[in-house]
Amino acid sequence: MTPAEFEYLKKFLKDRSGLVLSNDKQYLVESRLLPIAKVGKLETLSGLITSLQRGGNSKLESDVVEAMTTNESFFFRDKTPFDHFNETMLPALLEARARTKTLKIWCAAASSGQEPYSLGICIKEAGSKLSGWRTRILGTDLSLEVLEKAKAGLYSQFEVQRGLPIQMLLKYFDQKGDMWQINPDMRAMIEWRKLNLLDSFSHLGEFDILFCRNVLIYFDQQTKSEILDRLAKMVPEDGYLVLGAAETVVGLTDAFKPVAGKRGLFQRKQSAAKAGVAAPRLVAGAGGSLLR
């Protein structure tokens, strides 16, 4: 692959997915895209890039983007965000939403489904606290392949051993040969949609909690700021944003503030009107609700 071809591929990936490749990632490109070139009978990376440049091959374009976006995930990944959910977000929202008894959560990089299902387990484990409540979890991802896996809720022994306590495995999964499938009640809690965060997502409506972990690290500063500002419009002023351990809103947006002592947890800043300053009220979130 020539330097010019690598530059073309970097621009292609940034335009299509927001992914910013540094110059030292050429080895990663080769390891992930050579198999696609061979399956497509293009033989070499140069042949693959030539085909991309010609245009008109939407499947190849999609395969390249999916191959280069990271889909690593496991149950209760990093643990801390789920502690924040159980100990901070859920108690606050149980009180704030006591009248409507609705809870809406969006996992904006759902990958193969472990994060949304982990949150579903947290909700089930809350038991009587959520009796009579309507809860909905939306999982979105750029990759159709991982979304299909998420919908099926079928995982290998290795996958369920990564972060999932044995008692929860036996409680919420059914064994299918050498695989484990999350039970139908859990699968029914979650709606799956293909979504690119570079595209408009205002039609999804408003969410009480927004998980967007380990995604922004792949974008440049301007793209991060733009996405965070658009995410802020999806969350009410008492709603929450959860980012990855290495991610922050500081220096990127004024729409969120860190929650003191809670790493990776952020909350919408109050508008000027709510803070006691005369100003027009901003209506956050457009479109319909996921709850039907």
Side-chain angles (χ1 to χ4, degrees):
M1 181 167 53
T2 68
E5 288 172 337
F6 187 55
E7 287 303 314
Y8 170 81
L9 197 56
K10 284 167 61 178
K11 184 177 186 306
F12 172 85
L13 289 166
K14 185 177 186 301
D15 291 344
R16 297 302 179 94
S17 68
L19 177 66
V20 176
L21 277 181
S22 57
N23 290 328
D24 63 348
K25 291 295 191 292
Q26 187 163 333
Y27 75 94
L28 185 65
V29 170
E30 292 171 353
S31 66
R32 293 193 180 184
L33 297 189
L34 264 175
I36 293 175
K38 290 176 180 177
V39 168
K41 299 182 179 178
L42 299 168
E43 301 304 330
T44 65
L45 280 180
S46 292
L48 182 148
I49 291 167
T50 298
S51 182
L52 288 177
Q53 290 171 327
R54 280 200 300 262
N57 190 337
S58 58
K59 184 180 186 306
L60 177 64
E61 293 170 359
S62 177
D63 288 347
V64 167
V65 171
E66 290 196 12
M68 291 306 302
T69 51
T70 302
N71 294 310
E72 165 76 1
S73 187
F74 51 91
F75 290 96
F76 296 98
R77 183 179 181 181
D78 301 331
K79 188 177 180 295
T80 298
F82 301 96
D83 290 340
H84 292 340
F85 178 80
N86 290 323
E87 298 165 8
T88 301
M89 292 180 271
L90 192 55
L93 290 169
L94 282 171
E95 182 177 349
R97 305 290 184 271
R99 184 178 61 82
T100 60
K101 292 188 181 296
T102 61
L103 182 65
K104 292 175 283 184
I105 304 169
W106 176 19
C107 295
S111 188
S112 45
Q114 287 94 324
E115 180 178 86
Y117 285 133
S118 296
L119 288 167
I121 289 172
C122 288
I123 288 170
K124 289 288 189 183
E125 289 292 299
S128 60
K129 293 178 184 177
L130 283 166
S131 178
W133 283 62
R134 299 171 68 204
T135 61
R136 173 73 77 175
I137 303 171
L138 173 67
T140 66
D141 200 273
L142 181 64
S143 169
L144 278 174
E145 181 181 353
V146 296
L147 285 176
E148 288 302 315
K149 177 179 174 65
K151 287 178 187 177
L154 194 63
Y155 300 96
S156 67
Q157 184 71 41
F158 174 73
E159 288 171 316
V160 297
Q161 285 176 334
R162 299 185 74 193
L164 188 66
I166 184 65
Q167 68 270 24
M168 290 186 178
L169 173 64
L170 298 175
K171 187 174 181 180
Y172 295 109
F173 287 74
D174 301 313
Q175 191 162 12
K176 305 283 186 180
D178 58 353
M179 304 286 283
W180 292 84
Q181 186 170 38
I182 199 156
N183 64 43
D185 285 348
M186 293 295 302
R187 297 202 304 275
M189 290 179 68
I190 302 169
E191 180 181 346
W192 307 98
R193 295 190 195 180
K194 185 178 189 296
L195 183 81
N196 187 335
L197 285 173
L198 297 185
D199 298 334
S200 172
F201 43 71
S202 61
H203 60 282
L204 297 177
E206 192 174 78
F207 295 87
D208 304 298
I209 299 172
L210 210 170
F211 273 66
C212 188
R213 298 196 297 150
N214 306 311
V215 181
L216 298 180
I217 53 175
Y218 298 106
F219 300 151
D220 61 25
Q221 294 296 97
Q222 181 179 343
T223 305
K224 290 177 185 179
S225 294
E226 291 171 355
I227 290 174
L228 284 168
D229 286 340
R230 290 192 291 130
L231 290 176
K233 297 175 182 177
M234 311 290 288
V235 183
E237 291 192 345
D238 59 352
Y240 294 92
L241 170 69
V242 184
L243 297 180
E247 297 170 320
T248 184
V249 302
V250 178
L252 295 171
T253 181
D254 294 325
F256 291 100
K257 61 181 179 181
V259 176
K262 305 293 181 181
R263 178 174 56 86
L265 184 61
F266 305 87
Q267 199 161 25
R268 274 285 311 279
K269 283 188 177 179
Q270 282 192 342
S271 67
K274 287 283 184 74
V277 178
R281 184 174 180 272
L282 296 176
V283 180
S289 169
L290 286 171
L291 295 170
R292 300 182 180 90

